Amino acid sequence: MSHGGDYPEGDTVTVPISIAGKVVNLSLSRRTLLGVLAAGGAGVIPATPTAAASTTSSPAWPKDEDPVAYAWRFLTGHQDAHHLFPPAVHIEALRKRLDGIEQIRQASDSGTRRKLRATMGAYAEHLSWLSKEAGDLHGCLAWAERAALWAMDSGDHPMVTYMQLRRASVALDGRDHQTALDLAEQAVNASWPIPPVLRGIGHAYLARGRALAGARPDADMEQATELLNGPKGEETPSYLRFYGQSFSDAETATAYLEAGRPGEAIELLERCVAGLRPTQRRDKASYMARLAHAHAAAGAPDTAAETASDALVIATEVGSQSVQSELARLNATLMSRWPDQPQALAFNELISAA
């Protein structure tokens, strides 16, 4: 990890921290914040930049802490702080930490080796997602495959299914509905037990795939909503904690959009955007990009362009190449259908310069 070497000490970032249910904005230098992540998590903010600088030179593994717990804490810190840096920063840190985990694993007992292998699967899953955000679909799929292999090795069958669904998601983004439907069908009919939330993700992707294929998505949307909004039991893995009503609504809206029902998509996506926390910048950019597509499909190019412009600003700030690709696709639509519309032309200039 670079430990902030790419950022001068004066380069600050405002960090929304949740304290007692309230969001407090703290201004920290990026070097300080990277020091916090290097120490193993984003949950503790050092009192001074000097304290943060000392953490960057700390040993790779604390001698007095369980390696499995430390590895999970390090991963959770980067997951929680994913919106604060471009994906490449997190990818570099997590790949280096993976090397350390493998070294520790080789010298551990069989039980610890198995736990660390499962942890490595979770790292690979997050690296897959970060690669997708960075616009590296080859890396996304390669890390997903590695996550599935390590999960199978450790007996983490839900992760294996989850990575099937990651591949389905990539297929949907590429508008390859047949591959997405095949993968999602396999996932919801897995030969091993999976938590309801995974089955819900599968039905959400089935709904989108059916809509792309010209079929009605409603039955799968209803099942997805029920499963994703239900209680998460103790058996639900921590890496599925991000999936709930917001994800359900966004996927339902996308299925509506693909099915030619933009009005229903707009209503849901506006609710999604309004319900986001200040820290959910990537989600906001993604939902606003989908909302812009929905406005365009509804024949409102000015609103589509204005919404897309706001999404582009956020996507650029958080380094989301996947959202920028979606916005480039929207720009092509706007320029094809409304080449003389002032707001569409303004957005075309904005994204061309991005």
Side-chain angles (χ1 to χ4, degrees):
M1 188 174 180
S2 66
H3 305 316
D6 295 335
Y7 298 106
E9 184 59 45
D11 183 15
T12 61
V13 60
T14 299
V15 187
I17 303 294
S18 179
I19 301 176
K22 296 182 179 180
V23 175
V24 178
N25 292 318
L26 299 180
S27 292
L28 300 172
S29 75
R30 291 182 187 268
R31 289 184 61 192
T32 297
L33 193 56
L34 278 173
V36 177
L37 293 176
V44 179
I45 303 298
T48 67
T50 303
S54 68
T55 66
T56 64
S57 59
S58 61
W61 292 93
K63 295 181 180 180
D64 58 348
E65 186 170 359
D66 173 64
V68 177
Y70 177 76
W72 274 107
R73 185 161 60 86
F74 188 90
L75 174 61
T76 301
H78 278 272
Q79 288 174 332
D80 291 345
H82 69 80
H83 58 291
L84 299 176
F85 298 98
V89 174
H90 297 287
I91 289 171
E92 178 190 359
L94 293 173
R95 291 189 67 165
K96 289 184 177 181
R97 188 59 62 186
L98 260 179
D99 292 340
I101 294 174
E102 180 57 28
Q103 292 174 17
I104 294 292
R105 201 180 78 87
Q106 294 298 330
S108 300
D109 59 70
S110 60
T112 302
R113 285 201 304 272
R114 182 185 178 94
K115 291 177 182 177
L116 285 172
R117 185 61 98 196
T119 305
M120 292 171 71
Y123 270 64
E125 179 279 316
H126 194 54
L127 282 162
S128 169
W129 179 80
L130 287 167
S131 297
K132 186 172 182 284
E133 278 294 291
D136 178 10
L137 294 184
H138 175 76
C140 170
L141 293 172
W143 280 112
E145 182 178 1
R146 192 175 302 185
L149 288 172
W150 285 342
M152 184 66 76
D153 189 28
S154 65
D156 185 1
H157 292 141
M159 175 64 83
V160 178
T161 299
Y162 188 28
M163 291 302 92
Q164 274 188 310
L165 291 171
R166 175 64 49 77
R167 291 163 56 203
S169 173
V170 171
L172 285 169
D173 289 346
R175 306 183 74 74
D176 180 0
H177 67 270
Q178 192 57 61
T179 297
L181 286 169
D182 289 345
L183 289 167
E185 284 280 7
Q186 293 169 22
V188 299
N189 295 298
S191 58
W192 44 65
I194 60 172
V197 63
L198 264 184
R199 208 173 298 278
I201 297 169
H203 280 291
Y205 291 164
L206 283 172
R208 288 180 57 186
R210 296 196 204 288
L212 280 171
R216 289 190 63 83
D218 299 77
D220 284 297
M221 288 193 300
E222 290 175 5
Q223 291 188 66
T225 299
E226 180 180 351
L227 290 164
L228 288 165
N229 293 341
K232 292 180 174 62
E234 293 183 0
E235 77 283 359
T236 303
S238 61
Y239 49 77
L240 296 176
R241 67 187 183 276
F242 302 105
Y243 293 92
Q245 183 173 350
S246 181
F247 172 82
S248 172
D249 286 348
E251 292 300 303
T252 297
T254 306
Y256 278 141
L257 181 57
E258 299 293 359
R261 296 152 66 178
E264 293 164 281
I266 290 170
E267 182 179 349
L268 271 178
L269 287 167
E270 287 179 340
R271 189 170 76 193
C272 287
V273 172
L276 290 173
R277 299 187 301 274
T279 56
Q280 294 177 287
R281 302 282 286 166
R282 290 185 189 278
D283 287 338
K284 186 172 184 179
S286 176
Y287 295 167
M288 290 182 71
R290 299 188 204 192
L291 181 58
H293 274 285
H295 282 304
D302 283 353
T303 306
E306 290 171 1
T307 304
S309 297
D310 292 341
L312 180 60
V313 170
I314 300 172
T316 302
E317 289 174 355
V318 300
S320 178
Q321 290 295 324
S322 63
V323 171
Q324 291 188 45
S325 295
E326 276 297 302
L327 293 172
R329 186 166 66 88
L330 172 68
N331 184 57
T333 299
L334 292 174
M335 288 295 94
S336 173
R337 295 181 60 186
W338 300 283
D340 300 321
Q341 202 80 10
Q343 292 290 350
L345 288 169
F347 176 66
N348 179 60
E349 292 182 8
L350 186 64
I351 197 168
S352 298

